[in-house]
Amino acid sequence: MLVDVGLPLSLAIIMFSLGLGLTFADFGRVLSMPRAVVTGMVMQMAALPLVAFALLVAFDMPPAIAFGVMLLAFCPGGISSSILTRLGGGNVALSITLTGVVSLFSAFTVPFLTAWAAARFLGTAAPELNVTGIAMVMFALTFVPVMIGVLFRFVAPEIADRIDGGVFKLATVLFILVVVGALASNWALFMDNIARLGPLLMLLNLVLLVLGVLVSKLLGLTGGDALCISVEMGVQNAALGITVAGLVAHSAGISEFAVPAGVYGITMYVVTLPGIWVMRRMFHLNGTASA
């Protein structure tokens, strides 16, 4: 019951919290800093799934777990990416813009990518997918709460500033409860796969962080931009991954498709935090937000 009710509720609150931190000017940055924004979007929406797919070819994972890893790879960056970007002294404005824009796009891209991944990894064992239904639920749980948050800030910015921190903390607590519930309800499955799944997810995280930096620097972006894009690639919206897994499985509780997202929701901090420390030193950043 906690997972079934808490999961969609926590995701909606997470996305509302994301929207609450956005202004319409943030979306305008797509035009004001096009190279950084386009680079971040392409890296997250195209390069990330390709890296995940390549690693799954190298790692011999059970079909259901491999499918779950791809679901995670299709998801946008997590809401905590902006906090981690600020911690590292990266471009917070870029982080907010990327998280917001890619999250809105995900409501339309994830359902179709999910259908492809199900056919590729599950084959005839794939459950029947209602792509339209998944898209509608995704729209209701991601796009709508984000836009409500943006409009709330536009109409009542002072109130938005007062409640922003509290909403984020509530979303974080709910997500932790959901992840704990997800792992507890699939503990045997988790233990059976952690020896292979853990290294795969941590390697995926590390490759994404490094790739984000290398491509950004290759394209001439600043250290703050490179750190931001790196973090956006490495920090995924695990709550969305768990939610999509549940929509695909047509089952109450948490399905085995959601195990990778649940595990990654924990391991991504284990890998990303040291990565941020390294990037701060590499780019001589001071740990404060840059515009």
Side-chain angles (χ1 to χ4, degrees):
M1 182 65 179
L2 170 64
V3 173
D4 297 335
V5 176
L7 180 57
L9 178 61
S10 66
L11 179 59
I13 294 176
I14 287 171
M15 301 312 291
F16 173 72
S17 177
L18 169 61
L20 205 59
L22 291 169
T23 66
F24 288 107
D26 293 319
F27 296 102
R29 291 196 181 93
V30 175
L31 301 177
S32 65
M33 54 172 76
R35 182 170 53 171
V37 172
V38 171
T39 299
M41 291 179 63
V42 171
M43 292 299 291
Q44 192 167 4
M45 299 178 68
L48 196 162
L50 288 174
V51 170
F53 182 81
L55 288 178
L56 287 172
V57 171
F59 283 72
D60 183 22
M61 301 298 295
I65 297 298
F67 174 63
V69 171
M70 289 308 301
L71 289 184
L72 174 69
F74 297 147
C75 293
I79 190 172
S80 57
S81 61
S82 296
I83 296 175
L84 294 174
T85 297
R86 181 186 297 273
L87 179 66
N91 190 334
V92 178
L94 176 61
S95 176
I96 292 172
T97 301
L98 284 174
T99 302
V101 172
V102 176
S103 292
L104 294 181
F105 270 107
S106 70
F108 306 97
T109 61
V110 171
F112 296 99
L113 291 172
T114 296
W116 169 80
R120 171 62 178 77
F121 289 96
L122 301 179
T124 56
E128 184 178 352
L129 295 182
N130 182 345
V131 175
T132 302
I134 293 176
M136 291 177 64
V137 174
M138 286 278 296
F139 184 83
L141 291 178
T142 58
F143 190 95
V144 172
V146 168
M147 294 313 300
I148 290 176
V150 173
L151 290 172
F152 190 100
R153 174 166 289 281
F154 178 76
V155 173
E158 294 182 357
I159 298 177
D161 285 336
R162 287 201 300 268
I163 69 173
D164 192 7
V167 172
F168 175 75
K169 291 177 182 177
L170 175 60
T172 302
V173 170
L174 284 174
F175 174 65
I176 291 173
L177 291 176
V178 168
V179 171
V180 171
L183 295 179
S185 62
N186 282 277
W187 188 250
L189 181 68
F190 170 71
M191 293 304 295
D192 288 343
N193 291 280
I194 188 58
R196 287 184 298 177
L197 183 57
L200 169 63
L201 293 179
M202 296 181 78
L203 178 60
L204 171 63
N205 198 166
L206 180 60
V207 171
L208 294 174
L209 292 175
V210 173
L211 188 62
V213 170
L214 292 179
V215 172
S216 297
K217 298 303 291 181
L218 182 65
L219 295 177
L221 297 173
T222 67
D225 291 344
L227 182 143
C228 166
I229 292 172
S230 176
V231 171
E232 286 293 325
M233 289 187 69
V235 178
Q236 297 305 100
N237 189 336
L240 181 57
I242 297 173
T243 300
V244 176
L247 294 174
V248 172
H250 306 295
S251 63
I254 298 296
S255 74
E256 58 184 329
F257 302 151
V259 172
V263 175
Y264 196 82
I266 299 171
T267 61
M268 66 182 180
Y269 295 106
V270 175
V271 176
T272 303
L273 286 171
I276 289 174
W277 182 82
V278 171
M279 285 186 281
R280 279 184 58 178
R281 294 176 65 86
M282 180 190 308
F283 299 131
H284 305 291
L285 300 171
N286 60 12
T288 59
S290 60

